[in-house]
Amino acid sequence: MLKSMQYDRVTRFDLARTLVGRGRYWTTAYLVDGIMVDTGCAYTARELVKALGGAPLARIGNTHSHEDHIGANGAFQRGRSGLEILSHPLALPVLADPRRTQPLHPYRRVFWGWPEASQGKPISDGAVIETERYHFQAVHTPGHSPDHLCLYEPDQGWLFTGDLFVGGQERALRRDFDIWQIIASLKKIAALPASRLFPASARVRNNPQQELAAKVSYLEELGKRVLDLRRQGQSVRGIVHAVCGGPMPIEFITLGHFARQWLVLSYLRPKDASQQAAA
Ligand SMILES: [Zn+2]
């Protein structure tokens, strides 16, 4: 299932596998001035290629290597000679061989599927991607994944945040996410004077500074409560019940890969370890 919407010169594609007549677990791709930011999941690759038709596409910029962001990389690369795919260096082995390097849990196979392999070129923090009209700065923002990048266009104030910022208030985390790195990365993008924020699978935000600051405050306050309870001798299970509330459907759907306990345990990991991992 594919829906598209226009924001000035940015085209947004919302993409989801259709199951029992409905799109499930939507993901997002953006097309602007010949660059596509992310390509959705494998199940919607053909639809996205068809939707673009003959529209100019010189390169793809992947915010990170999760399967719901690189799903049409291979299809686009096969169909358009010379198409560049730009990703953080840590993402390149995943793009090249997703099945070997990124084993998928059952829920990920059901909702997003295995991406076709593609060949990426490395871009790191501070690199600039020039298009005909714009220039996009790559900002390394680990935490959601070690290879996560945001793309920022300073003249337009556009900020493409991938899965780093999708709004909401976390009560659970995926097992491999790093909450201290996520907070540091959110602070990094909150310092940019962005006027419009284009997230993956969430609504576009105008003047996003207030929401970014609120998100950082929420996560820092939650971390403070977790650490206070730990100092008082509370068990992980006790902290989960005190700060995260009751069971969540996502814990069952993902068979525990996304769970309240991983959020608490991520806060209990030393910040220094997170920072060393990010270096
Ligand atoms: Zn992701």
Side-chain angles (χ1 to χ4, degrees):
M1 192 173 282
L2 179 149
K3 299 176 191 170
S4 70
M5 192 175 266
Q6 199 67 31
Y7 296 86
D8 297 332
R9 287 189 162 139
V10 179
T11 308
R12 170 180 169 129
F13 297 96
D14 287 298
L15 304 151
R17 184 178 191 191
T18 306
L19 286 168
V20 203
R22 271 181 53 193
R24 311 279 170 169
Y25 289 88
W26 291 83
T27 182
T28 308
Y30 293 98
L31 178 68
V32 53
D33 201 22
I35 181 169
M36 176 162 272
V37 182
D38 290 334
T39 63
C41 71
Y43 292 122
T44 53
R46 276 166 58 175
E47 264 179 298
L48 184 61
V49 168
K50 197 172 158 204
L52 245 71
L57 181 65
R59 52 182 73 81
I60 287 166
N62 288 134
T63 59
H64 61 299
S65 62
H66 286 164
E67 69 282 0
D68 50 331
H69 295 255
I70 64 168
N73 279 14
F76 277 120
Q77 206 162 40
R78 269 189 293 109
R80 299 184 183 237
S81 65
L83 178 77
E84 279 187 337
I85 299 179
L86 305 171
S87 301
H88 188 274
L90 293 172
L92 300 185
V94 183
L95 267 57
D97 193 351
R99 283 179 185 261
R100 192 178 60 81
T101 54
Q102 186 166 244
L104 296 185
H105 302 77
Y107 75 96
R108 298 166 73 185
R109 275 182 244 165
V110 170
F111 295 125
W112 302 305
W114 294 102
E116 192 181 322
S118 59
Q119 299 303 314
K121 286 188 175 179
I123 47 163
S124 298
D125 189 50
V128 176
I129 306 166
E130 300 282 353
T131 64
E132 206 174 309
R133 293 192 182 90
Y134 309 117
H135 50 281
F136 296 86
Q137 295 172 3
V139 185
H140 187 213
T141 46
H144 176 88
S145 65
D147 59 11
H148 198 287
L149 294 169
C150 292
L151 293 178
Y152 176 57
E153 211 297 329
D155 295 333
Q156 303 298 318
W158 294 334
L159 181 60
F160 295 85
T161 57
D163 281 344
L164 171 63
F165 178 85
V166 291
Q169 296 195 330
E170 277 83 353
R171 288 205 295 126
L173 206 66
R174 214 174 90 166
R175 187 173 187 164
D176 53 339
F177 292 1
D178 184 316
I179 196 66
W180 293 119
Q181 283 189 2
I182 287 172
I183 292 170
S185 292
L186 285 168
K187 285 180 173 175
K188 195 171 177 180
I189 62 165
L192 300 169
S195 55
R196 199 169 238 185
L197 187 151
F198 297 94
S201 54
R203 64 185 168 80
V204 171
R205 264 77 166 182
N206 293 320
N207 303 311
Q209 267 76 22
Q210 207 176 339
E211 274 194 82
L212 287 168
K215 180 87 169 182
V216 169
S217 296
Y218 168 76
L219 291 175
E220 286 190 326
E221 183 57 33
L222 199 61
K224 191 172 167 302
R225 287 175 62 202
V226 168
L227 295 180
D228 282 349
L229 289 166
R230 191 59 161 177
R231 270 191 291 271
Q232 291 162 24
Q234 276 276 10
S235 65
V236 169
R237 182 184 280 224
I239 300 171
V240 165
H241 284 290
V243 304
C244 302
M248 302 168 69
I250 198 167
E251 295 176 299
F252 298 103
I253 291 167
T254 65
L255 303 177
H257 190 223
F258 232 105
R260 293 163 296 155
Q261 65 167 324
W262 304 129
L263 178 60
V264 168
L265 286 168
S266 191
Y267 276 120
L268 295 177
R269 222 176 285 147
K271 281 188 201 179
D272 287 351
S274 299
Q275 276 147 17
Q276 277 166 17

